[in-house]
Amino acid sequence: LSLVAQFCCGFFVILILGNFWFLAVLYLLWLYLDWETPCTGGRRSQWVRSWTVWKYFREYFPIHLIKTSDLSPNHNYLLGFHPHGVLVAGAFGNFCTSSSFKNLFPGLTPYLHIMPIWFGCPFFREYIMSAGMVSASKESVSYVLDNKGGGHASVIVIGGAEESLNAHPGSLTLNILNRKGFIKMALKHGAHLVPVFSFGENELFKQVPNPKGSRLRNVQEKLQKIMGFALPLFHARGIFQYSFGLIPYRQPIHTVVGSPIPVKQNLNPTTEEIEQLHALYLQKLRTLFEEHKRNYGVPEHKSLIFE
């Protein structure tokens, strides 16, 4: 996504510096008038979501979506996606393209929430909204979950950009202990919570060693606080060779959607109520992982680490 964003920004600069500056001015006017759209459900396009390239994208790894329980379209859901990984390939492949989601969960419309900063990128914002991505702001999540008829599913990568710095092959560390905003949103809207674990997400790239406390990790964490997104230093394979490059390894991704945790609407949840539901969510997430890990190559002795 970042490469596409750079291309779009470069194209916009060319318009400004070239003989088409008036097109850039018109687009800036459109950007001003359309600024709130990423927070009001976006503007998805089934045509974009059905591009043939996404079929090849899913088959490259390949990406699989596994259903463990029915999700009634009469409710709204908040799906917590784990882990972030470097690419978030499972989230994009399953929720932003015409994957098997529609067949497995009929009547549900998924919205993948991403950092608001991406919607400030000219042209790129149109592309990601057409794929079904919306802002991760509170206003945006509220808009999706406030659908009175049900049938909406907010997909939030709970660990955020910070968690991408832990995306090493074999890593099972999740940044979640202090992330409780999604719990509060679920309570306020009565949205059922659904843990989602994507096996293989951390195996797509090799990241430069950056243990906590190291000079590299300290720099990455400072940049993440300043810019809002992390900069993991990673590599994988090339196009015609397998030793070095930026193309992800062909490792299968199995995104397992857990059973819903019923949530009653509570417009003013107390800290205790948030903590209690958060603890239950962690318990259900760990159970989901333990029940499926042996099916997807995770050693029996390894378990999730919550930070």
Side-chain angles (χ1 to χ4, degrees), residues 88-115:
V88 205
F92 179 80
N94 287 309
F95 306 118
C96 295
T97 71
S98 293
S99 65
S100 58
F101 183 90
K102 186 175 182 179
N103 294 327
L104 292 176
F105 303 102
L108 281 187
T109 301
Y111 296 82
L112 179 60
H113 296 270
I114 65 175
M115 290 186 297

PDB file of all heavy atoms in Angstrom, residues 88-115:
ATOM      1  N   VAL A  88      -0.169  -6.922   6.754  1.00  0.00           N
ATOM      2  CA  VAL A  88      -1.587  -7.096   7.081  1.00  0.00           C
ATOM      3  C   VAL A  88      -2.293  -7.758   5.900  1.00  0.00           C
ATOM      4  O   VAL A  88      -3.412  -7.390   5.526  1.00  0.00           O
ATOM      5  CB  VAL A  88      -2.274  -5.753   7.430  1.00  0.00           C
ATOM      6  CG1 VAL A  88      -3.492  -6.014   8.325  1.00  0.00           C
ATOM      7  CG2 VAL A  88      -1.350  -4.809   8.135  1.00  0.00           C
ATOM      8  N   ALA A  89      -1.643  -8.737   5.308  1.00  0.00           N
ATOM      9  CA  ALA A  89      -2.148  -9.371   4.083  1.00  0.00           C
ATOM     10  C   ALA A  89      -3.474 -10.088   4.309  1.00  0.00           C
ATOM     11  O   ALA A  89      -4.365 -10.041   3.458  1.00  0.00           O
ATOM     12  CB  ALA A  89      -1.108 -10.354   3.542  1.00  0.00           C
ATOM     13  N   GLY A  90      -3.620 -10.755   5.446  1.00  0.00           N
ATOM     14  CA  GLY A  90      -4.840 -11.487   5.707  1.00  0.00           C
ATOM     15  C   GLY A  90      -6.046 -10.577   5.803  1.00  0.00           C
ATOM     16  O   GLY A  90      -7.128 -10.896   5.308  1.00  0.00           O
ATOM     17  N   ALA A  91      -5.865  -9.422   6.446  1.00  0.00           N
ATOM     18  CA  ALA A  91      -6.969  -8.471   6.582  1.00  0.00           C
ATOM     19  C   ALA A  91      -7.357  -7.902   5.229  1.00  0.00           C
ATOM     20  O   ALA A  91      -8.540  -7.819   4.887  1.00  0.00           O
ATOM     21  CB  ALA A  91      -6.580  -7.346   7.543  1.00  0.00           C
ATOM     22  N   PHE A  92      -6.359  -7.515   4.442  1.00  0.00           N
ATOM     23  CA  PHE A  92      -6.660  -6.943   3.131  1.00  0.00           C
ATOM     24  C   PHE A  92      -7.279  -7.988   2.202  1.00  0.00           C
ATOM     25  O   PHE A  92      -8.315  -7.741   1.570  1.00  0.00           O
ATOM     26  CB  PHE A  92      -5.391  -6.388   2.491  1.00  0.00           C
ATOM     27  CG  PHE A  92      -5.623  -5.804   1.123  1.00  0.00           C
ATOM     28  CD1 PHE A  92      -6.146  -4.532   0.974  1.00  0.00           C
ATOM     29  CD2 PHE A  92      -5.343  -6.549  -0.011  1.00  0.00           C
ATOM     30  CE1 PHE A  92      -6.378  -4.003  -0.291  1.00  0.00           C
ATOM     31  CE2 PHE A  92      -5.574  -6.030  -1.276  1.00  0.00           C
ATOM     32  CZ  PHE A  92      -6.094  -4.752  -1.420  1.00  0.00           C
ATOM     33  N   GLY A  93      -6.666  -9.159   2.123  1.00  0.00           N
ATOM     34  CA  GLY A  93      -7.146 -10.184   1.203  1.00  0.00           C
ATOM     35  C   GLY A  93      -8.539 -10.689   1.516  1.00  0.00           C
ATOM     36  O   GLY A  93      -9.325 -10.979   0.610  1.00  0.00           O
ATOM     37  N   ASN A  94      -8.858 -10.765   2.805  1.00  0.00           N
ATOM     38  CA  ASN A  94     -10.158 -11.324   3.201  1.00  0.00           C
ATOM     39  C   ASN A  94     -11.275 -10.303   3.308  1.00  0.00           C
ATOM     40  O   ASN A  94     -12.445 -10.642   3.093  1.00  0.00           O
ATOM     41  CB  ASN A  94     -10.020 -12.046   4.551  1.00  0.00           C
ATOM     42  CG  ASN A  94      -9.283 -13.366   4.433  1.00  0.00           C
ATOM     43  OD1 ASN A  94      -9.627 -14.197   3.602  1.00  0.00           O
ATOM     44  ND2 ASN A  94      -8.263 -13.555   5.263  1.00  0.00           N
ATOM     45  N   PHE A  95     -10.938  -9.051   3.642  1.00  0.00           N
ATOM     46  CA  PHE A  95     -11.984  -8.065   3.908  1.00  0.00           C
ATOM     47  C   PHE A  95     -12.046  -6.919   2.898  1.00  0.00           C
ATOM     48  O   PHE A  95     -13.004  -6.148   2.926  1.00  0.00           O
ATOM     49  CB  PHE A  95     -11.807  -7.489   5.317  1.00  0.00           C
ATOM     50  CG  PHE A  95     -11.748  -8.532   6.389  1.00  0.00           C
ATOM     51  CD1 PHE A  95     -10.621  -8.680   7.184  1.00  0.00           C
ATOM     52  CD2 PHE A  95     -12.812  -9.393   6.600  1.00  0.00           C
ATOM     53  CE1 PHE A  95     -10.550  -9.646   8.169  1.00  0.00           C
ATOM     54  CE2 PHE A  95     -12.767 -10.372   7.587  1.00  0.00           C
ATOM     55  CZ  PHE A  95     -11.630 -10.508   8.370  1.00  0.00           C
ATOM     56  N   CYS A  96     -11.055  -6.813   2.007  1.00  0.00           N
ATOM     57  CA  CYS A  96     -11.033  -5.706   1.047  1.00  0.00           C
ATOM     58  C   CYS A  96     -11.083  -6.173  -0.402  1.00  0.00           C
ATOM     59  O   CYS A  96     -10.916  -5.374  -1.320  1.00  0.00           O
ATOM     60  CB  CYS A  96      -9.781  -4.852   1.251  1.00  0.00           C
ATOM     61  SG  CYS A  96      -9.753  -4.023   2.847  1.00  0.00           S
ATOM     62  N   THR A  97     -11.285  -7.450  -0.616  1.00  0.00           N
ATOM     63  CA  THR A  97     -11.433  -7.983  -1.972  1.00  0.00           C
ATOM     64  C   THR A  97     -12.637  -8.928  -1.970  1.00  0.00           C
ATOM     65  O   THR A  97     -13.185  -9.249  -0.917  1.00  0.00           O
ATOM     66  CB  THR A  97     -10.180  -8.760  -2.419  1.00  0.00           C
ATOM     67  OG1 THR A  97     -10.084  -9.997  -1.688  1.00  0.00           O
ATOM     68  CG2 THR A  97      -8.904  -7.951  -2.179  1.00  0.00           C
ATOM     69  N   SER A  98     -13.032  -9.343  -3.151  1.00  0.00           N
ATOM     70  CA  SER A  98     -14.174 -10.276  -3.258  1.00  0.00           C
ATOM     71  C   SER A  98     -13.713 -11.683  -2.914  1.00  0.00           C
ATOM     72  O   SER A  98     -13.564 -12.548  -3.770  1.00  0.00           O
ATOM     73  CB  SER A  98     -14.764 -10.226  -4.667  1.00  0.00           C
ATOM     74  OG  SER A  98     -15.347  -8.975  -4.912  1.00  0.00           O
ATOM     75  N   SER A  99     -13.463 -11.891  -1.635  1.00  0.00           N
ATOM     76  CA  SER A  99     -12.996 -13.189  -1.151  1.00  0.00           C
ATOM     77  C   SER A  99     -14.201 -14.046  -0.783  1.00  0.00           C
ATOM     78  O   SER A  99     -15.320 -13.789  -1.195  1.00  0.00           O
ATOM     79  CB  SER A  99     -12.084 -12.979   0.063  1.00  0.00           C
ATOM     80  OG  SER A  99     -12.832 -12.438   1.136  1.00  0.00           O
ATOM     81  N   SER A 100     -13.958 -15.043   0.057  1.00  0.00           N
ATOM     82  CA  SER A 100     -15.033 -15.951   0.477  1.00  0.00           C
ATOM     83  C   SER A 100     -15.860 -15.383   1.628  1.00  0.00           C
ATOM     84  O   SER A 100     -16.790 -16.038   2.100  1.00  0.00           O
ATOM     85  CB  SER A 100     -14.436 -17.303   0.884  1.00  0.00           C
ATOM     86  OG  SER A 100     -13.489 -17.142   1.932  1.00  0.00           O
ATOM     87  N   PHE A 101     -15.536 -14.172   2.083  1.00  0.00           N
ATOM     88  CA  PHE A 101     -16.242 -13.603   3.236  1.00  0.00           C
ATOM     89  C   PHE A 101     -17.740 -13.534   2.989  1.00  0.00           C
ATOM     90  O   PHE A 101     -18.547 -13.894   3.858  1.00  0.00           O
ATOM     91  CB  PHE A 101     -15.692 -12.206   3.560  1.00  0.00           C
ATOM     92  CG  PHE A 101     -16.322 -11.586   4.774  1.00  0.00           C
ATOM     93  CD1 PHE A 101     -15.768 -11.788   6.031  1.00  0.00           C
ATOM     94  CD2 PHE A 101     -17.474 -10.805   4.683  1.00  0.00           C
ATOM     95  CE1 PHE A 101     -16.356 -11.230   7.162  1.00  0.00           C
ATOM     96  CE2 PHE A 101     -18.061 -10.249   5.801  1.00  0.00           C
ATOM     97  CZ  PHE A 101     -17.497 -10.463   7.048  1.00  0.00           C
ATOM     98  N   LYS A 102     -18.124 -13.072   1.812  1.00  0.00           N
ATOM     99  CA  LYS A 102     -19.544 -12.894   1.505  1.00  0.00           C
ATOM    100  C   LYS A 102     -20.301 -14.220   1.554  1.00  0.00           C
ATOM    101  O   LYS A 102     -21.451 -14.280   1.992  1.00  0.00           O
ATOM    102  CB  LYS A 102     -19.693 -12.249   0.128  1.00  0.00           C
ATOM    103  CG  LYS A 102     -21.117 -11.875  -0.233  1.00  0.00           C
ATOM    104  CD  LYS A 102     -21.175 -11.138  -1.560  1.00  0.00           C
ATOM    105  CE  LYS A 102     -22.605 -10.725  -1.906  1.00  0.00           C
ATOM    106  NZ  LYS A 102     -22.665  -9.991  -3.198  1.00  0.00           N
ATOM    107  N   ASN A 103     -19.647 -15.290   1.113  1.00  0.00           N
ATOM    108  CA  ASN A 103     -20.299 -16.609   1.123  1.00  0.00           C
ATOM    109  C   ASN A 103     -20.337 -17.213   2.525  1.00  0.00           C
ATOM    110  O   ASN A 103     -21.313 -17.871   2.899  1.00  0.00           O
ATOM    111  CB  ASN A 103     -19.572 -17.551   0.165  1.00  0.00           C
ATOM    112  CG  ASN A 103     -19.698 -17.124  -1.285  1.00  0.00           C
ATOM    113  OD1 ASN A 103     -20.724 -16.560  -1.686  1.00  0.00           O
ATOM    114  ND2 ASN A 103     -18.671 -17.367  -2.075  1.00  0.00           N
ATOM    115  N   LEU A 104     -19.277 -16.991   3.290  1.00  0.00           N
ATOM    116  CA  LEU A 104     -19.212 -17.556   4.638  1.00  0.00           C
ATOM    117  C   LEU A 104     -20.101 -16.798   5.619  1.00  0.00           C
ATOM    118  O   LEU A 104     -20.680 -17.394   6.540  1.00  0.00           O
ATOM    119  CB  LEU A 104     -17.766 -17.549   5.140  1.00  0.00           C
ATOM    120  CG  LEU A 104     -16.788 -18.495   4.438  1.00  0.00           C
ATOM    121  CD1 LEU A 104     -15.381 -18.307   4.991  1.00  0.00           C
ATOM    122  CD2 LEU A 104     -17.224 -19.941   4.595  1.00  0.00           C
ATOM    123  N   PHE A 105     -20.199 -15.472   5.416  1.00  0.00           N
ATOM    124  CA  PHE A 105     -20.979 -14.643   6.336  1.00  0.00           C
ATOM    125  C   PHE A 105     -21.969 -13.788   5.542  1.00  0.00           C
ATOM    126  O   PHE A 105     -21.810 -12.566   5.428  1.00  0.00           O
ATOM    127  CB  PHE A 105     -20.048 -13.752   7.165  1.00  0.00           C
ATOM    128  CG  PHE A 105     -19.009 -14.519   7.937  1.00  0.00           C
ATOM    129  CD1 PHE A 105     -17.699 -14.586   7.488  1.00  0.00           C
ATOM    130  CD2 PHE A 105     -19.350 -15.196   9.101  1.00  0.00           C
ATOM    131  CE1 PHE A 105     -16.735 -15.289   8.198  1.00  0.00           C
ATOM    132  CE2 PHE A 105     -18.398 -15.906   9.818  1.00  0.00           C
ATOM    133  CZ  PHE A 105     -17.084 -15.955   9.365  1.00  0.00           C
ATOM    134  N   PRO A 106     -22.988 -14.421   4.967  1.00  0.00           N
ATOM    135  CA  PRO A 106     -23.952 -13.684   4.146  1.00  0.00           C
ATOM    136  C   PRO A 106     -24.672 -12.597   4.945  1.00  0.00           C
ATOM    137  O   PRO A 106     -25.018 -12.796   6.111  1.00  0.00           O
ATOM    138  CB  PRO A 106     -24.924 -14.780   3.678  1.00  0.00           C
ATOM    139  CG  PRO A 106     -24.776 -15.887   4.676  1.00  0.00           C
ATOM    140  CD  PRO A 106     -23.344 -15.847   5.100  1.00  0.00           C
ATOM    141  N   GLY A 107     -24.876 -11.458   4.306  1.00  0.00           N
ATOM    142  CA  GLY A 107     -25.588 -10.361   4.956  1.00  0.00           C
ATOM    143  C   GLY A 107     -24.710  -9.419   5.735  1.00  0.00           C
ATOM    144  O   GLY A 107     -25.178  -8.399   6.241  1.00  0.00           O
ATOM    145  N   LEU A 108     -23.394  -9.727   5.850  1.00  0.00           N
ATOM    146  CA  LEU A 108     -22.469  -8.865   6.578  1.00  0.00           C
ATOM    147  C   LEU A 108     -21.589  -8.083   5.605  1.00  0.00           C
ATOM    148  O   LEU A 108     -21.109  -8.629   4.616  1.00  0.00           O
ATOM    149  CB  LEU A 108     -21.568  -9.680   7.504  1.00  0.00           C
ATOM    150  CG  LEU A 108     -22.131 -10.161   8.852  1.00  0.00           C
ATOM    151  CD1 LEU A 108     -21.022 -10.801   9.662  1.00  0.00           C
ATOM    152  CD2 LEU A 108     -22.775  -9.029   9.617  1.00  0.00           C
ATOM    153  N   THR A 109     -21.374  -6.815   5.904  1.00  0.00           N
ATOM    154  CA  THR A 109     -20.490  -5.965   5.107  1.00  0.00           C
ATOM    155  C   THR A 109     -19.291  -5.576   5.954  1.00  0.00           C
ATOM    156  O   THR A 109     -19.449  -4.899   6.980  1.00  0.00           O
ATOM    157  CB  THR A 109     -21.218  -4.689   4.640  1.00  0.00           C
ATOM    158  OG1 THR A 109     -22.362  -5.056   3.865  1.00  0.00           O
ATOM    159  CG2 THR A 109     -20.293  -3.826   3.785  1.00  0.00           C
ATOM    160  N   PRO A 110     -18.062  -5.999   5.566  1.00  0.00           N
ATOM    161  CA  PRO A 110     -16.888  -5.685   6.372  1.00  0.00           C
ATOM    162  C   PRO A 110     -16.285  -4.320   6.015  1.00  0.00           C
ATOM    163  O   PRO A 110     -16.241  -3.920   4.846  1.00  0.00           O
ATOM    164  CB  PRO A 110     -15.910  -6.810   6.012  1.00  0.00           C
ATOM    165  CG  PRO A 110     -16.266  -7.150   4.592  1.00  0.00           C
ATOM    166  CD  PRO A 110     -17.756  -6.923   4.456  1.00  0.00           C
ATOM    167  N   TYR A 111     -15.835  -3.600   7.019  1.00  0.00           N
ATOM    168  CA  TYR A 111     -15.146  -2.326   6.851  1.00  0.00           C
ATOM    169  C   TYR A 111     -13.802  -2.428   7.558  1.00  0.00           C
ATOM    170  O   TYR A 111     -13.766  -2.599   8.786  1.00  0.00           O
ATOM    171  CB  TYR A 111     -15.944  -1.173   7.458  1.00  0.00           C
ATOM    172  CG  TYR A 111     -17.273  -0.905   6.796  1.00  0.00           C
ATOM    173  CD1 TYR A 111     -18.402  -1.670   7.120  1.00  0.00           C
ATOM    174  CD2 TYR A 111     -17.422   0.119   5.866  1.00  0.00           C
ATOM    175  CE1 TYR A 111     -19.636  -1.416   6.532  1.00  0.00           C
ATOM    176  CE2 TYR A 111     -18.656   0.376   5.266  1.00  0.00           C
ATOM    177  CZ  TYR A 111     -19.750  -0.396   5.608  1.00  0.00           C
ATOM    178  OH  TYR A 111     -20.973  -0.145   5.018  1.00  0.00           O
ATOM    179  N   LEU A 112     -12.713  -2.335   6.815  1.00  0.00           N
ATOM    180  CA  LEU A 112     -11.389  -2.402   7.429  1.00  0.00           C
ATOM    181  C   LEU A 112     -10.954  -0.989   7.808  1.00  0.00           C
ATOM    182  O   LEU A 112     -10.802  -0.111   6.952  1.00  0.00           O
ATOM    183  CB  LEU A 112     -10.378  -3.019   6.464  1.00  0.00           C
ATOM    184  CG  LEU A 112      -8.933  -3.119   6.983  1.00  0.00           C
ATOM    185  CD1 LEU A 112      -8.860  -3.978   8.244  1.00  0.00           C
ATOM    186  CD2 LEU A 112      -8.007  -3.682   5.901  1.00  0.00           C
ATOM    187  N   HIS A 113     -10.746  -0.761   9.103  1.00  0.00           N
ATOM    188  CA  HIS A 113     -10.357   0.561   9.603  1.00  0.00           C
ATOM    189  C   HIS A 113      -8.828   0.691   9.596  1.00  0.00           C
ATOM    190  O   HIS A 113      -8.127  -0.154  10.162  1.00  0.00           O
ATOM    191  CB  HIS A 113     -10.886   0.762  11.021  1.00  0.00           C
ATOM    192  CG  HIS A 113     -12.377   0.778  11.096  1.00  0.00           C
ATOM    193  ND1 HIS A 113     -13.120   1.933  10.982  1.00  0.00           N
ATOM    194  CD2 HIS A 113     -13.279  -0.230  11.269  1.00  0.00           C
ATOM    195  CE1 HIS A 113     -14.410   1.654  11.088  1.00  0.00           C
ATOM    196  NE2 HIS A 113     -14.536   0.345  11.261  1.00  0.00           N
ATOM    197  N   ILE A 114      -8.339   1.750   8.969  1.00  0.00           N
ATOM    198  CA  ILE A 114      -6.901   1.999   8.909  1.00  0.00           C
ATOM    199  C   ILE A 114      -6.607   3.415   9.387  1.00  0.00           C
ATOM    200  O   ILE A 114      -7.516   4.219   9.577  1.00  0.00           O
ATOM    201  CB  ILE A 114      -6.337   1.783   7.482  1.00  0.00           C
ATOM    202  CG1 ILE A 114      -6.928   2.803   6.514  1.00  0.00           C
ATOM    203  CG2 ILE A 114      -6.626   0.358   7.010  1.00  0.00           C
ATOM    204  CD1 ILE A 114      -6.319   2.736   5.110  1.00  0.00           C
ATOM    205  N   MET A 115      -5.317   3.737   9.561  1.00  0.00           N
ATOM    206  CA  MET A 115      -4.939   5.036  10.111  1.00  0.00           C
ATOM    207  C   MET A 115      -5.454   6.181   9.240  1.00  0.00           C
ATOM    208  O   MET A 115      -5.319   6.148   8.009  1.00  0.00           O
ATOM    209  CB  MET A 115      -3.421   5.116  10.226  1.00  0.00           C
ATOM    210  CG  MET A 115      -2.834   4.229  11.294  1.00  0.00           C
ATOM    211  SD  MET A 115      -1.062   4.488  11.500  1.00  0.00           S
ATOM    212  CE  MET A 115      -0.467   3.980   9.875  1.00  0.00           C
TER     213      MET A 115
END
